[in-house]
Amino acid sequence: MAKYLVIVESPHKAKTISKILGKDFHVKASVGHVRDLPRNKLGVNVRKNFEPLYEILKEKEPIVKELKEAADEAEQVYLAPDPDREGEAIAWHLSEILELPNKKVHRIEFNEITKNAILAAIKSPRKIDKRLVDAQQARRVLDRLVGYKISPLLWRKVNGRSAGRVQSVAVRLICEREAEIESFDAKEYWSIKAELSRSRSKQAFIAPLYKYDGKRVIAASEKSAANTMIIDSEKAANKILKAIESEEFKVSSLTEKTSQRQPSPPFITSTLQREASTALGYAVKKTMQVAQTLYEGVELGAAGATGLITYMRTDSTRVAESAQEEALEYIKNRYGKEYCPDKPRVYTRKAKNVQDAHEAIRPTSPENSPESIKQYLSNDQFKLYKLIWERFMASQMSAAELLTRTAEISAGDAVFRASATETKFAGFTIVYNRPTKSAVSETESENAEDGEMSGETQSLPELSKGEALKLKDIKPNQHFTQPPPRFSEASLVKTLEEEGIGRPSTYAATVTTIVDRKYVERVNKTLVPTKLGKAVNLLLVEHFSGIVDVTFTRDMEQKLDMIEEDQVDWHGMLKEFYQPFGETLKKAEENMNKVIILSDQQCPACGEQMAIRSSRFGQFLGCIKYPECTTKIALTKEGTPVPEDRPSEEKCTTCGADMLIRYGRYGDYLACSKEECTEQRPILKLTGVKCPRAECGGDIVEKKSRRGKIFYGCSMYSKNQCTSAYWYPPVISGGPNNSNKCPSCGTMLIYKTLKRGDQIACSNKECTFAQPITGEEKHA
């Protein structure tokens, strides 16, 4: 029997750590929180100094029983939830529930799940940090007070689903951005570009108009000054063209400037979420889910289960000295000594609310390069790990050295400017060549405007001062200033972080909540407020302006940090908040008017308009004449009316009647048209290709994963557990020998859409056949 019990949060983490510690240790998982505030009442005794009334979660009762039995039998118990406030609170709750003597219970923490880190943690246990626990309790009680008091009011007045201290501020930011976009007044402006070349050369380059009549030409979005000008109309642009049409274009100045491009710091939670969104198209929630698997451990063949990255909920860019030494040794051996900086890089952050308890997000070992362990990772794991590994290694490398050559070309009162930048020493860019500052928005067009005025990346021929150039073409281009971009998930996280709202552990949950509550919807990867979201926001801003205020929320985060630092008493902080909040709540209950959110639908029974309403099952349309008219129309997940049953060509296998296409919780499905018959089955989208398993006999059909991603699998899965499944569509015809079979092993071919070019490949993972497409292939 094991002598020691280690309790972690996740079963997967438990599995990895168990293999490290061996048979003397029994590693079990609490599967997250085991105790919390009750779900069906406030659970906070406001009159008794805001005492929280915790209870064991019903679904966790069997787990708690198991943990108690294991703890009673163990000589020592090590509590090892995540190394943050939430993890500290879970450890404290476990210690309270297990009711063990203090000398038997130990708190351990580790920033990475590797053998060295786990063994070091076991050797240096500590007591539970009550300051961290109090900070988490204060946040939990504060969120419960705000949510539990405001949410019922929203239900009564606007059919809103809920309010939250952080989520409501996020919705406000999105609504205010949408209002800015709707009220934006676009301004016209023009740019002029000359296409030039040397007199006897075919190599042309583009030079935008830089100055005219001694004034610098700027875009309408730039701030004007005394020595600047905006070309605000086609007439003004043509006037300049006419003035210089007969002028000679001569090189008036040539300059060269050397510069360095420094690497970005290693990732913190928010920058990882932004970069994964920009580079990989991942939603914030997906990024954290994939990162969690990399942190908790992946089976690496003979090496066993290994944690590949450090803890992924952090706002610190600090790197352990030992990790820096390993990285520099790897860089020197693989790339050369010149790629190591003169001294190790140190990254610090100036934000006030940074907690430096954890390191930045980095690989646990540089030796585990992405390519060397690719075979053990899923596609998503590989992409995210590659991003983390490359960003960290680059952060420890030398700067890139650049040379920028700029030519100014005069033509009368006009000066055109062309620049070209070349890399003299690649430095860190040989590993990670993404923009130094992560792009955050898919729709930010200000950069495009600036590009119009300053010129594009190009090569510049060798020029001489005073040299006359050949004008190949010159033309004006019309532009309009663009409204501020809508928030993407990534840019919203960036703003929340910059404003000091929330913590690394809350960003993903905040975004998920406001989408799930139907306050915000995703449109082309941007976040757009719904009618419900706008209505709720208007009410909250009008009646709870202090609660949904950015400054207030930031100040509360700082007070939570002060509780953690033992500078503020958490009970006192709650008392200070609650008294004015109670008064505001009372006024809102008296003065808040009921808001009806009208839809575009007419009531089929009485002809009046239908309103968007909410229930615990989701949104629906209800007649505004209720209770006189009780007509209701269910809505799909997309917010459109549920379609009526439609005929299909399928027959019921039970009674032979026609099957109907019916909409359900997960979309369309087939149901028997006879009321007394209960047969239902999914709608299969056939590809025309049979399952490659000879003994199966099923068809390959198009399916959707639980997360909505399309894949292709066998139709016989539910009947004989055939597990044939592919992320890419099967080839129907046009492959080698006009077949859809692999010429090497005879298995089904699939059509892969890749960045480096589409190809057809064998669906058998053990076969290496793959070739570029010819254009003759047809696929599902």
Side-chain angles (χ1 to χ4, degrees):
M1 186 177 291
K3 294 180 181 179
Y4 310 110
L5 173 66
V6 178
I7 303 176
V8 296
E9 287 169 277
S10 121
H12 190 83
K13 192 195 293 187
K15 184 180 176 183
T16 304
I17 294 173
S18 183
K19 290 181 179 178
I20 292 171
L21 291 175
K23 62 182 180 180
D24 285 342
F25 289 83
H26 192 187
V27 187
K28 295 186 77 67
S30 69
V31 195
H33 280 276
V34 292
R35 194 170 75 160
D36 198 3
L37 298 175
R39 290 171 180 166
N40 56 355
K41 57 184 177 181
L42 179 62
V44 178
N45 193 333
V46 175
R47 293 180 180 179
K48 197 175 178 181
N49 211 14
F50 299 92
E51 180 185 344
L53 307 172
Y54 296 115
E55 60 182 35
I56 294 172
L57 299 172
K58 191 165 185 64
E59 66 273 18
K60 296 296 179 67
E61 288 174 359
I63 293 174
V64 169
K65 185 182 177 184
E66 270 185 49
L67 293 176
K68 275 189 172 183
E69 290 172 355
D72 288 340
E73 293 173 0
E75 292 180 14
Q76 299 292 324
V77 178
Y78 295 92
L79 304 175
D82 288 339
D84 55 16
R85 285 179 191 164
E86 208 73 21
E88 202 72 18
I90 291 173
W92 175 72
H93 282 298
L94 285 167
S95 69
E96 294 278 301
I97 292 168
L98 296 177
E99 299 175 325
L100 297 172
N102 290 336
K103 62 181 181 180
K104 186 175 176 178
V105 181
H106 311 280
R107 170 72 166 125
I108 60 171
E109 64 176 347
F110 34 83
N111 196 47
E112 58 188 62
I113 302 177
T114 58
K115 186 174 182 178
N116 289 343
I118 299 300
L119 294 179
I122 293 289
K123 287 178 183 176
S124 53
R126 61 170 175 81
K127 294 188 180 299
I128 290 170
D129 190 335
K130 199 62 170 59
R131 297 172 305 170
L132 282 171
V133 175
D134 287 347
Q136 193 276 340
Q137 286 194 102
R139 176 189 291 279
R140 186 73 187 95
V141 172
L142 186 63
D143 289 346
R144 173 55 67 95
L145 291 173
V146 172
Y148 213 86
K149 294 291 186 179
I150 298 180
S151 296
L153 190 59
L154 290 180
W155 268 103
R156 295 196 300 271
K157 301 295 185 181
V158 74
N159 279 143
R161 301 292 295 278
S162 70
R165 189 175 56 87
V166 174
Q167 76 180 49
S168 297
V169 177
V171 173
R172 180 176 184 175
L173 290 170
I174 293 166
C175 288
E176 288 178 348
R177 177 62 60 86
E178 194 68 16
E180 283 183 69
I181 294 168
E182 289 170 357
S183 63
F184 183 79
D185 183 20
K187 293 180 180 177
E188 178 187 11
Y189 70 99
W190 290 71
S191 64
I192 297 174
K193 288 183 179 181
E195 185 181 359
L196 303 163
S197 69
R198 303 186 76 182
S199 57
R200 295 182 182 179
S201 172
K202 290 183 179 180
Q203 181 188 352
F205 60 93
I206 301 296
L209 178 63
Y210 174 63
K211 282 184 179 178
Y212 185 72
D213 199 19
K215 294 183 178 181
R216 188 167 67 88
V217 179
I218 61 172
S221 57
E222 296 181 67
K223 190 174 181 180
S224 60
N227 62 339
T228 61
M229 66 174 289
I230 296 169
I231 306 172
D232 58 5
S233 66
E234 186 176 16
K235 182 179 179 182
N238 287 332
K239 185 177 178 181
I240 294 172
L241 289 176
K242 188 169 180 61
I244 62 175
E245 63 182 356
S246 58
E247 299 288 349
E248 186 177 32
F249 284 72
K250 276 190 174 183
V251 179
S252 54
S253 78
L254 290 168
T255 57
E256 287 189 353
K257 181 183 176 183
T258 58
S259 61
Q260 287 190 332
R261 181 181 163 200
Q262 301 294 341
S264 297
F267 284 128
I268 59 176
T269 302
S270 60
T271 53
L272 174 63
Q273 290 170 343
R274 297 205 301 272
E275 194 71 354
S277 173
T278 305
L280 307 177
Y282 288 179
V284 168
K285 183 178 179 181
K286 178 177 180 177
T287 298
M288 297 310 289
Q289 286 172 335
V290 177
Q292 184 86 29
T293 65
L294 295 173
Y295 167 67
E296 292 184 348
V298 176
E299 289 286 343
L300 300 183
T306 306
L308 292 176
I309 64 170
T310 52
Y311 190 54
M312 64 284 159
R313 294 184 184 94
T314 177
D315 55 8
S316 171
T317 51
R318 182 175 61 82
V319 176
E321 190 176 320
S322 58
Q324 279 193 317
E325 290 170 358
E326 284 182 49
L328 290 170
E329 186 67 22
Y330 183 92
I331 292 163
K332 184 174 71 173
N333 292 338
R334 179 165 178 180
Y335 303 108
K337 193 175 180 180
E338 66 273 24
Y339 286 91
C340 296
D342 294 334
K343 58 181 181 180
R345 293 186 177 275
V346 177
Y347 296 97
T348 57
R349 298 189 65 222
K350 295 178 181 178
K352 290 182 181 179
N353 62 337
V354 171
Q355 296 180 352
D356 203 41
H358 314 307
E359 286 188 66
I361 303 169
R362 62 168 176 82
T364 55
S365 171
E367 295 295 333
N368 287 327
S369 65
E371 293 300 332
S372 70
I373 60 173
K374 185 176 182 179
Q375 60 181 313
Y376 305 112
L377 304 179
S378 70
N379 194 36
D380 286 336
Q381 286 176 327
F382 172 74
K383 287 178 179 178
L384 193 66
Y385 180 70
K386 186 171 187 284
L387 205 62
I388 293 168
W389 188 91
E390 289 178 349
R391 172 81 163 229
F392 171 70
M393 298 306 294
S395 76
Q396 304 303 307
M397 296 176 75
S398 301
E401 295 176 7
L402 310 173
L403 174 65
T404 301
R405 297 166 55 231
T406 302
E408 290 191 356
I409 301 101
S410 298
D413 291 333
V415 177
F416 293 79
R417 176 183 273 190
S419 294
T421 299
E422 59 180 290
T423 301
K424 303 302 286 184
F425 174 64
F428 75 93
T429 63
I430 61 167
V431 173
Y432 187 82
N433 197 20
R434 290 191 55 73
T436 302
K437 288 187 177 180
S438 299
V440 247
S441 172
E442 297 79 14
T443 52
E444 283 184 297
S445 48
E446 293 292 339
N447 294 336
E449 290 177 14
D450 294 342
E452 292 291 351
M453 308 310 294
S454 60
E456 300 92 2
T457 302
Q458 60 180 333
S459 60
L460 207 59
E462 291 294 331
L463 301 171
S464 303
K465 189 174 179 180
E467 180 180 358
L469 300 176
K470 181 181 177 182
L471 178 64
K472 302 188 78 172
D473 192 18
I474 187 168
K475 53 185 169 185
N477 296 291
Q478 184 185 36
H479 313 281
F480 291 93
T481 55
Q482 298 296 310
R486 282 172 168 161
F487 283 110
S488 63
E489 288 192 10
S491 60
L492 178 63
V493 166
K494 180 175 187 284
T495 301
L496 291 174
E497 183 195 27
E498 289 173 345
E499 295 290 353
I501 298 169
R503 303 295 309 161
S505 58
T506 65
Y507 297 142
T510 298
V511 174
T512 301
T513 299
I514 62 178
V515 173
D516 289 347
R517 294 283 185 262
K518 306 294 184 188
Y519 292 159
V520 170
E521 60 185 350
R522 294 185 180 95
V523 178
N524 297 326
K525 294 190 177 181
T526 63
L527 300 174
V528 183
T530 60
K531 287 182 179 180
L532 177 63
K534 288 181 178 180
V536 168
N537 179 63
L538 281 173
L539 287 178
L540 290 178
V541 170
E542 181 181 352
H543 297 282
F544 296 95
S545 57
I547 305 297
V548 293
D549 178 66
V550 168
T551 303
F552 168 80
T553 310
R554 182 195 306 126
D555 290 345
M556 294 308 294
E557 293 294 341
Q558 290 173 357
K559 285 180 181 177
L560 292 170
D561 291 343
M562 291 170 76
I563 292 168
E564 183 176 323
E565 293 160 8
D566 211 15
Q567 296 176 7
V568 171
D569 173 63
W570 72 282
H571 297 100
M573 185 270 277
L574 290 170
K575 185 177 181 181
E576 184 185 331
F577 158 78
Y578 192 72
Q579 186 175 350
F581 172 67
E583 293 170 2
T584 302
L585 187 70
K586 187 177 179 181
K587 287 179 184 176
E589 288 174 335
E590 293 170 355
N591 301 322
M592 188 183 287
N593 294 319
K594 191 172 178 67
V595 176
I596 296 175
I597 306 167
L598 297 177
S599 73
D600 299 327
Q601 297 283 325
Q602 248 81 40
C603 176
C606 69
E608 292 286 349
Q609 266 191 291
M610 303 288 280
I612 300 171
R613 304 189 188 279
S614 298
S615 74
R616 62 193 180 94
F617 301 108
Q619 289 187 329
F620 66 95
L621 297 181
C623 183
I624 60 170
K625 284 293 184 180
Y626 179 85
E628 288 84 5
C629 179
T630 57
T631 303
K632 294 179 183 179
I633 298 176
L635 295 177
T636 65
K637 287 186 287 186
E638 291 74 33
T640 57
V642 169
E644 294 181 359
D645 291 349
R646 291 141 286 160
S648 77
E649 296 179 359
E650 300 281 332
K651 295 290 184 182
C652 178
T653 57
T654 303
C655 68
D658 293 334
M659 298 292 281
L660 297 174
I661 300 172
R662 184 168 290 164
Y663 183 86
R665 186 177 176 186
Y666 301 105
D668 287 341
Y669 66 97
L670 290 172
C672 184
S673 56
K674 284 191 175 181
E675 289 185 14
E676 60 270 20
C677 183
T678 58
E679 181 170 326
Q680 296 177 357
R681 61 176 185 262
I683 297 174
L684 299 180
K685 191 172 180 181
L686 297 172
T687 62
V689 177
K690 302 296 284 185
C691 178
R693 284 178 60 181
E695 71 279 9
C696 176
D699 296 289
I700 297 297
V701 297
E702 184 180 301
K703 296 186 174 186
K704 272 190 180 181
S705 69
R706 283 183 296 176
R707 294 177 185 166
K709 189 174 179 181
I710 290 175
F711 71 100
Y712 301 85
C714 182
S715 61
M716 301 297 285
Y717 174 78
S718 60
K719 295 183 180 179
N720 62 9
Q721 292 295 301
C722 177
T723 56
S724 296
Y726 316 92
W727 286 117
Y728 296 101
V731 172
I732 298 172
S733 64
N737 304 318
N738 199 30
S739 167
N740 70 338
K741 303 292 184 187
C742 174
S744 299
C745 69
T747 308
M748 180 186 80
L749 292 171
I750 53 176
Y751 189 102
K752 287 189 170 184
T753 304
L754 307 170
K755 284 185 179 179
R756 61 178 179 269
D758 294 356
Q759 62 177 217
I760 55 172
C762 185
S763 59
N764 181 1
K765 291 180 181 179
E766 296 177 3
C767 179
T768 59
F769 173 78
Q771 70 176 37
I773 62 165
T774 62
E776 298 297 320
E777 298 87 356
K778 290 183 180 179
H779 63 85

